[in-house]
Amino acid sequence: MKLNENSMTPLYRQVLEDIKAGIVSGQYEPGHKIPSEAELSEMYNVSRVTVRRAIDQLSRGGFLTSRQGKGTFVNQGVLRDKLHQPIDQLSVAEACINAGMSAGVRIIGRRAIPASAKHQSVFGSQCEDVVELVCVHTANDVPVLEEETYLPLNEFSFLLDSSLENLTSSDAVSQRTGRSAGGYAENTMEIAAAGAKLAKDLGINAGDPLFLQRVVVNDQQGMPLCMSERYAVGSRCLFDL
């Protein structure tokens, strides 16, 4: 492949995107070894340092695994197609099921914090503190979305120390309170860029494009239940508008 040396895109990034395209298209099958650093260096006419940087970024993103003395292999759980989700659909798990993918979620943070003016505009001025839950959703073991969810502390403090293993926060809320998501009261979408923390959590590069969806969810009675900010990886998600 001839790289564009005059492009604003760094050479390592061009190599990265071409290898990724080969993985997604099936040129490099899950479990199979990709060409060696020396072979890739010759293929792309770049230094091995450039190739190594591309492979390192793909490994961080969950696409490849390097095995010392054996080579670099395509991971079995690589996401082949973008996760296709209607913008008004509440559940990432439902989108995965519809796409024939395996859904996963892990909580990476939960704490009580003071309610902001935005929180109080949704939950009422009497709301002094909220529970913050931060989760990463995966499809076929590849991170696709990070979700920051906020609920009033006085009603949902149990989420801070409840065991949520094999249980989503929405399931825990439903089981404990009988309240469940009924639909969006607010729903906006914009484009954002990944900061250092989001990039690390999602296995992408800082500056990569994200969909930022801000939502307020009502319960089945039409009362505010929670509010969330969802950061979806632009290269791994597709939304119907």
Side-chain angles (χ1 to χ4, degrees):
M1 176 187 172
K2 177 68 174 176
L3 302 182
N4 183 359
E5 295 185 359
N6 297 318
S7 172
M8 295 293 289
T9 303
L11 292 177
Y12 89 89
R13 187 72 192 182
Q14 294 182 49
V15 173
L16 181 156
E17 293 297 342
D18 194 63
I19 296 174
K20 185 192 293 186
I23 295 171
V24 173
S25 69
Q27 176 186 348
Y28 299 127
E29 292 286 340
H32 288 195
K33 184 169 70 171
I34 67 169
S36 68
E37 283 186 7
E39 291 169 329
L40 290 170
S41 177
E42 184 176 349
M43 285 170 55
Y44 292 107
N45 194 27
V46 295
S47 70
R48 291 182 65 167
V49 172
T50 298
V51 169
R52 192 172 300 123
R53 185 174 180 186
I55 290 175
D56 179 64
Q57 294 289 336
L58 286 167
S59 298
R60 285 180 52 202
F63 288 88
L64 299 172
T65 295
S66 295
R67 302 174 189 168
Q68 190 168 5
K70 295 185 177 180
T72 303
F73 296 80
V74 179
N75 286 340
Q76 293 288 345
V78 166
L79 190 65
R80 288 204 169 278
D81 299 304
K82 288 189 177 184
L83 182 64
H84 189 179
Q85 182 177 7
I87 199 169
D88 60 350
Q89 185 168 309
L90 291 169
S91 172
V92 177
E94 290 177 23
C96 288
I97 292 171
N98 292 337
M101 300 176 184
S102 174
V105 61
R106 67 179 186 274
I107 294 176
I108 62 173
R110 48 178 164 176
R111 58 178 180 163
I113 62 173
S116 67
K118 177 60 176 176
H119 297 143
Q120 292 183 335
S121 72
V122 173
F123 303 124
S125 58
Q126 76 283 357
C127 179
E128 297 182 353
D129 300 286
V130 293
V131 174
E132 178 191 65
L133 293 175
V134 183
C135 303
V136 171
H137 296 264
T138 61
N140 288 353
D141 297 323
V142 177
V144 293
L145 182 148
E146 181 164 313
E147 183 173 28
E148 300 172 1
T149 301
Y150 303 91
L151 309 96
L153 179 66
N154 62 346
E155 186 176 0
F156 299 103
S157 59
F158 64 88
L159 290 171
L160 293 174
D161 51 21
S162 295
S163 174
L164 298 178
E165 186 176 357
N166 300 320
L167 190 68
T168 65
S169 57
S170 58
D171 288 338
V173 166
S174 179
Q175 290 182 11
R176 184 72 170 261
T177 68
R179 300 177 67 188
S180 58
Y184 292 132
E186 296 180 20
N187 187 6
T188 64
M189 180 79 79
E190 60 186 275
I191 302 300
K197 182 183 181 302
L198 277 169
K200 181 179 179 181
D201 293 345
L202 293 168
I204 57 177
N205 297 306
D208 278 0
L210 302 169
F211 294 109
L212 169 54
Q213 185 182 15
R214 291 188 171 96
V215 301
V216 174
V217 179
N218 283 345
D219 65 13
Q220 66 272 44
Q221 303 300 322
M223 299 299 294
L225 178 62
C226 66
M227 57 185 296
S228 298
E229 292 184 352
R230 300 171 176 177
Y231 298 88
V233 180
S235 62
R236 300 173 187 169
C237 297
L238 178 66
F239 292 89
D240 283 336
L241 301 178

